[in-house]
Amino acid sequence: MKVIEDVLLKRTSVRRYEREKIEPEKLDLIYRAIASTPTSYNGQQYSVIAVEDQEKKELLYEIIGQKQIKTSAVFLVFCVDFNKVSLLAKAKELDFPRIQDKMDGVMIGLIDAALAMQNAVVAAQSLGLGSCCIGYARTADPARVAEVLQLPKGVFVACGLSIGYPRETPDLKPKQPLSVLIHKNHYRTDDMTEELLTYDRLICEYNGCRAGVKTDNDWCAHMLDYYREALKYDMEGYLKAQGFNLEYK
């Protein structure tokens, strides 16, 4: 296994994989790492769909459009899940308070699912595997994805994660400097603009000289374009269809 410093500080998103299955014992470690995730009040408001069937991976690729889904050894779909506790409450004839209709309930599930996915990323990285988080699994066509995965009411996709043996070694992407990321005791009150501009230029330089496809993208404008695109997604409508009737006060 890799040392923890390499696992955490040298992780990259791997999108190209060898045609090689992952050994059962390695998958078992990843799944046990997922199961050991710290969750809010030990509620475990998440589930994971492990897609190994090639036809289903290719169908999900057609919907989501990310090639690493169909070439991965396994595609994990992390879901917010209030179905399980609801089923148990019904079996025990207990009243079920619909926390999923509040933003805090949705956030509880999303945080649980995101922490579980990070545990999977760390476990996979430690085993010499590559992975790539795919947020577009949530937004590309959520109703079709839910149909393919047979998600019941009370469950929706938070994020996907492709895992496999790496066929590439991507360059390490620059991250924000600790000076603008870690705020001590309170949020910084001085002007961070110059530090952010420096980081923006660093991203532009990285994109222009990295291995593979090169672009002239900076960080800021690229993110704003993504936000504009994300505003088109009807996640609220999909959540309502999945039984999350969010109340906005």
Side-chain angles (χ1 to χ4, degrees):
M1 281 193 179
K2 295 183 178 180
V3 298
I4 192 65
E5 184 175 1
D6 288 341
V7 170
L8 295 178
L9 303 186
K10 296 182 180 179
R11 185 212 62 83
T12 59
S13 293
V14 174
R15 294 175 172 83
R16 298 176 66 225
Y17 304 102
E18 300 288 354
R19 296 183 181 275
E20 184 178 348
K21 290 186 176 181
I22 300 172
E23 297 86 341
E25 61 271 19
K26 290 187 176 182
L27 279 178
D28 182 65
L29 190 150
I30 293 171
Y31 295 157
R32 286 188 288 118
I34 290 171
S36 296
T37 299
T39 63
S40 180
Y41 215 70
N42 195 35
Q44 303 161 79
Q45 287 95 182
Y46 72 98
S47 284
V48 184
I49 314 294
V51 183
E52 296 184 62
D53 179 77
Q54 189 60 33
E55 288 187 8
K56 183 155 286 191
K57 284 191 292 179
E58 290 184 9
L59 178 55
L60 290 170
Y61 158 68
E62 290 175 8
I63 298 170
I64 300 167
Q66 300 289 316
K67 188 176 292 185
Q68 59 269 37
I69 294 173
K70 68 176 181 179
T71 60
S72 64
V74 61
F75 180 55
L76 303 183
V77 185
F78 291 80
C79 302
V80 173
D81 187 351
F82 285 95
N83 176 60
K84 291 182 288 189
V85 67
S86 176
L87 286 174
L88 189 55
K90 183 178 180 180
K92 298 182 72 172
E93 299 183 346
L94 298 172
D95 179 60
F96 181 74
R98 291 184 55 82
I99 184 65
Q100 71 267 40
D101 291 344
K102 298 289 188 179
M103 180 57 72
D104 189 53
V106 172
M107 290 183 66
I108 286 170
L110 284 171
I111 292 169
D112 283 1
L115 288 171
M117 184 173 67
Q118 184 61 24
N119 263 22
V121 169
V122 171
Q125 189 82 3
S126 73
L127 295 167
L129 299 167
S131 65
C132 182
C133 302
I134 304 175
Y136 204 45
R138 177 183 63 255
T139 52
D141 191 335
R144 282 189 67 197
V145 171
E147 182 180 4
V148 170
L149 298 177
Q150 300 178 9
L151 302 184
K153 292 289 181 70
V155 180
F156 73 89
V157 174
C159 198
L161 180 70
S162 60
I163 301 178
Y165 279 98
R167 198 176 181 180
E168 62 178 359
T169 305
D171 295 333
L172 195 62
K173 188 174 294 184
K175 300 295 184 181
Q176 292 180 10
L178 295 183
S179 62
V180 301
L181 183 64
I182 309 298
H183 302 250
K184 296 182 179 179
N185 299 315
H186 60 79
Y187 199 93
R188 280 182 56 176
T189 56
D190 61 322
D191 190 357
M192 296 183 287
T193 304
E194 284 303 318
E195 290 160 273
L196 291 169
L197 285 169
T198 298
Y199 176 68
D200 199 57
R201 289 190 293 269
L202 181 62
I203 287 291
C204 191
E205 292 170 4
Y206 163 82
N207 286 328
C209 65
R210 67 182 180 182
V213 179
K214 296 174 175 55
T215 72
D216 59 358
N217 290 335
D218 61 12
W219 180 68
C220 184
H222 186 62
M223 290 309 304
L224 298 183
D225 285 343
Y226 166 72
Y227 296 160
R228 292 185 188 96
E229 182 65 25
L231 286 173
K232 302 175 184 176
Y233 304 147
D234 182 27
M235 286 303 298
E236 291 81 4
Y238 166 65
L239 289 177
K240 188 172 183 180
Q242 286 300 108
F244 292 75
N245 301 305
L246 292 182
E247 299 177 5
Y248 296 98
K249 298 293 185 181

